Amino acid sequence: MMTDLYSNALTELLIEKSDDFIGIYDLEDERFVRINKAGVRMLGFSSEQALLDDPIRSRSLRTQPLEGEHRTSLIERLIRAGQHEETAQIGRQNGQSFWGQLIMSAFTAHDRSYALIRLIDQGRLHQAERDLEHSVRRYEAIFSNATIGIVVCDARGQIVSVNQLAEHLFGYAPGELLSLTIERLVPTAVSSYHEKLRQSFNAHPQVRAMGHNRDLHAQRKDGSVFPVEISLSYFQLEEELYVVAYIIDITFKKEAERQLLAHRDHIERLNAELEQKVADRTHALMNTLDQLEQSKDELARALEAERELGELKSRFVAMASHEFRTPLTAVLTSATLIEKYTLGDQQEKRQKHIDRIRSSVNHLNDILEEFLSVGRLEEGKIDANPSRVDISQLVTETVGDMLGMLKPQQTIQTELACSQPIWIDPSLLRKILVNLLSNAVKYSGPGSVVTVRAACTGGQLALAITDQGIGISKDDQEHLFERFFRAKNVTNIAGTGLGLHIVGRYVELMHGQVSLQSELNLGTTVTLILPYEDHPLD
């Protein structure tokens, strides 16, 4: 009798050509009588008959099958309503489970009740939702909890996003700023002039600091003004320009400068008084002059440190605004598009955007890991721990791990001349190799060759990585090992400017030396000289 239900050629085509699980369920016998090939594969069975013979899965797809009154109640509701839909945990033959959407439709054939059951695997969608949630949490940690005020507005000056510190700085309640324009945060006397400056920035957007050689002020909700430092960045989303302002309240800094000037005036008055008493207080005058000299040196060092801190901060803001903006924009765009692909035949489009979200999240993780490595180095939490290492094996394994990031026809060749194991820190050496190989692959084109040479002689490991990439100018080479520094010819290639800085610090921990030779468009060679110890084999 059941043969008549699905012998029709159109029914056979609809069932067997589907990528989802489709089965016919006898509601009276409470078991499946037909399951398509896609359903058999989804549940991990070798054949349809093996599945139909299984005492558990032939009766229920759930990890925890419904029993007794619950099963009877579901069947009655299905027959009465004609269809039923829910999401449940589905069990495979090997004991694993996944989330699936069950779509049930009741029908009658030959005076007997059946159900057409369709199962859609939602495991990858759940994973993408979890990855997206993690990415949003990282975004909240970076944006909402930042220790500087951040305001985002569109090309018309309408504020579209602010973090908590910005609301606190300007004295607004949460969400209150989103109904205002950026000119409301500018002193009334210069708001019209600021509007012209905003239009000029929209025409030629660039990452830069505001108010060069000028004092900047912002206006709170109550009309009071306060001194600020502002850096600007921008990004485009769906062909619309958005401007990001990073705002720092420098009231205390200005007060410190005022006190510093007052202190300087006081010192000058003190010098004048001391000169009048030089005859009878020569000894006291010399001591005071020594103290003044020390104060001058301390002030010079403090000003130099402030200047270096300002430069470092500017580099970080410029880097972070670019490196975080790109993956976050990709995540937002892909998440929006995923919502639109709700049909079963759009899985390929959903998967493309899921992969894009995963790639963006991994990119953010890599950036955060570099920040953490620099922090641990600065805090002195990383030490060199030598152990017995086979250099040829370590280099070969590391090169193997890098193959996945190679461009088309790009290869890595090795020339290794270390026949005996040596004592050196394998963890630091592997991280150095990964960093240098990543740079060599990233800055070289398809079809290029990256060469790794290693030689162990005279208690020293000589390691050289050579690429055929874009090279580095002479002017940039002297700054390459500084934090957040990036060469002028790589501004359009993703990077944090921390890689070579970390390599340099690791080489210092291993008491070695690092050097670099490069020519523009001719490639780069980075050479390491690392001392090692020869220990007899146990």
Side-chain angles (χ1 to χ4, degrees):
M1 178 181 67
M2 282 307 303
T3 303
D4 297 337
L5 295 177
Y6 47 82
S7 60
N8 180 277
L10 178 59
T11 304
E12 186 73 14
L13 178 64
L14 291 175
I15 292 177
E16 289 301 335
K17 295 303 180 180
S18 174
D19 292 332
D20 297 325
F21 176 106
I22 294 181
I24 298 177
Y25 192 88
D26 189 324
L27 295 178
E28 297 181 12
D29 289 345
E30 296 185 2
R31 62 183 298 109
F32 282 100
V33 296
R34 176 68 192 275
I35 297 174
N36 67 348
K37 294 179 181 179
V40 172
R41 290 194 301 270
M42 186 180 294
L43 297 187
F45 284 85
S46 59
S47 66
E48 178 185 13
Q49 191 59 47
L51 198 161
L52 295 177
D53 291 340
D54 187 280
I56 297 177
R57 293 294 161 251
S58 65
R59 299 181 64 83
S60 177
L61 301 179
R62 303 169 187 268
T63 304
Q64 298 293 331
L66 297 178
E67 299 293 345
E69 295 180 359
H70 297 291
R71 177 191 292 270
T72 302
S73 176
L74 176 60
I75 293 176
E76 291 176 352
R77 289 200 311 272
L78 176 59
I79 294 175
R80 184 169 57 253
Q83 63 180 28
H84 178 74
E85 183 174 337
E86 64 176 279
T87 299
Q89 271 197 308
I90 307 302
R92 291 192 170 96
Q93 183 188 32
N94 60 8
Q96 296 179 346
S97 63
F98 64 96
W99 284 100
Q101 182 181 16
L102 289 168
I103 303 173
M104 311 175 195
S105 300
F107 68 94
T108 302
H110 300 285
D111 298 325
R112 196 172 181 86
S113 298
Y114 298 94
L116 179 67
I117 298 180
R118 180 183 180 191
L119 170 62
I120 302 174
D121 184 353
Q122 292 189 321
R124 285 177 292 182
L125 180 59
H126 278 262
Q127 182 61 41
E129 290 174 347
R130 286 194 294 271
D131 291 344
L132 180 59
E133 180 183 0
H134 293 168
S135 179
V136 170
R137 289 180 180 176
R138 294 188 184 95
Y139 167 78
E140 288 292 332
I142 296 169
F143 181 83
S144 300
N145 302 322
T147 56
I148 60 175
I150 304 177
V151 177
V152 183
C153 65
D154 59 22
R156 297 175 296 279
Q158 182 73 35
I159 297 174
V160 297
S161 181
V162 295
N163 68 347
Q164 296 176 1
L165 186 59
E167 293 174 332
H168 175 72
L169 286 178
F170 290 97
Y172 285 87
E176 193 174 2
L177 277 170
L178 300 183
S179 62
L180 306 178
T181 63
I182 193 67
E183 275 72 35
R184 289 288 294 273
L185 307 183
V186 178
T188 305
V190 296
S191 60
S192 59
Y193 177 65
H194 181 271
E195 186 174 352
K196 295 179 180 178
L197 292 178
R198 177 169 56 78
Q199 293 172 354
S200 176
F201 183 88
N202 291 345
H204 303 285
Q206 56 181 317
V207 177
R208 62 177 177 83
M210 283 186 63
H212 182 63
N213 293 329
R214 291 187 293 112
D215 289 337
L216 297 179
H217 291 82
Q219 181 171 285
R220 300 186 182 91
K221 181 181 179 180
D222 61 8
S224 61
V225 298
F226 60 101
V228 292
E229 288 181 354
I230 302 177
S231 295
L232 296 179
S233 179
Y234 69 96
F235 65 93
Q236 288 187 331
L237 185 61
E238 297 180 352
E239 298 184 358
E240 183 170 353
L241 177 69
Y242 292 88
V243 182
V244 185
Y246 303 91
I247 305 167
I248 301 175
D249 183 351
I250 58 171
T251 301
F252 294 108
K253 178 182 176 181
K254 287 294 185 180
E255 178 62 22
E257 291 176 352
R258 187 193 66 77
Q259 293 180 1
L260 185 62
L261 292 175
H263 183 60
R264 186 188 64 182
D265 294 340
H266 174 70
I267 291 175
E268 291 176 352
R269 290 193 300 271
L270 182 60
N271 283 336
E273 294 174 0
L274 290 173
E275 288 176 0
Q276 295 177 5
K277 300 176 181 179
V278 65
D280 55 351
R281 300 187 63 181
T282 301
H283 183 68
L285 177 60
M286 294 301 296
N287 290 339
T288 303
L289 289 176
D290 289 341
Q291 294 175 4
L292 289 174
E293 190 66 23
Q294 293 176 9
S295 297
K296 179 180 178 182
D297 293 340
E298 291 174 359
L299 178 60
R301 288 193 295 269
L303 291 176
E304 179 64 18
E306 178 70 13
R307 184 187 65 81
E308 292 178 357
L309 180 61
E311 292 179 354
L312 188 62
K313 186 186 301 180
S314 297
R315 290 182 187 176
F316 173 80
V317 168
M319 181 279 299
S321 64
H322 180 272
E323 292 303 315
F324 282 114
R325 178 177 67 246
T326 300
L328 287 175
T329 301
V331 168
L332 179 60
T333 303
S334 294
T336 302
L337 292 174
I338 285 175
E339 293 179 347
K340 299 180 180 179
Y341 300 140
T342 59
L343 301 180
D345 60 355
Q346 295 178 318
Q347 181 60 35
E348 181 178 353
K349 296 180 180 179
R350 285 196 294 268
Q351 185 61 46
K352 180 182 73 172
H353 293 292
I354 289 171
D355 293 341
R356 190 179 182 194
I357 290 174
R358 185 177 294 109
S359 176
S360 298
V361 171
N362 290 336
H363 179 47
L364 286 173
N365 283 335
D366 291 342
I367 294 174
L368 294 175
E369 183 59 32
E370 288 191 339
F371 289 167
L372 292 175
S373 295
V374 173
R376 289 193 293 267
L377 283 167
E378 295 295 337
E379 295 169 3
K381 294 183 178 179
I382 299 179
D383 296 313
N385 298 298
S387 62
R388 183 170 175 266
V389 179
D390 185 335
I391 295 299
S392 297
Q393 180 181 353
L394 185 145
V395 172
T396 302
E397 291 176 352
T398 304
V399 169
D401 293 339
M402 303 297 294
L403 296 180
M405 66 179 294
L406 294 180
K407 300 172 183 175
Q409 287 79 50
Q410 197 174 40
T411 59
I412 300 178
Q413 298 180 356
T414 59
E415 300 176 10
L416 310 177
C418 292
S419 58
Q420 298 295 328
I422 64 174
W423 281 78
I424 200 167
D425 189 316
S427 176
L428 293 183
L429 184 57
R430 185 183 299 273
K431 291 175 181 176
I432 290 172
L433 268 173
V434 169
N435 224 315
L436 296 178
L437 285 173
S438 297
N439 282 349
V441 170
K442 179 165 61 173
Y443 298 123
S444 300
S448 61
V449 178
V450 177
T451 304
V452 182
R453 297 180 177 88
C456 301
T457 56
Q460 290 186 331
L461 167 62
L463 186 64
I465 292 86
T466 302
D467 64 52
Q468 299 172 339
I470 60 178
I472 307 163
S473 68
K474 297 295 182 182
D475 293 339
D476 287 336
Q477 289 180 27
E478 60 183 276
H479 301 290
L480 282 178
F481 293 92
E482 297 175 5
R483 284 178 295 179
F484 302 117
F485 179 83
R486 305 203 68 215
K488 300 182 184 68
N489 60 336
V490 299
T491 54
N492 292 327
I493 302 176
T496 63
L498 292 174
L500 286 180
H501 172 74
I502 294 174
V503 168
R505 294 296 300 273
Y506 285 163
V507 171
E508 289 178 9
L509 289 174
M510 301 171 74
H511 306 291
Q513 298 177 344
V514 58
S515 60
L516 181 145
Q517 297 81 39
S518 181
E519 294 288 339
L520 284 175
N521 302 316
L522 295 180
T524 300
T525 297
V526 179
T527 303
L528 309 176
I529 304 297
L530 302 173
Y532 65 82
E533 300 175 11
D534 285 314
H535 285 243
L537 298 179
D538 295 334

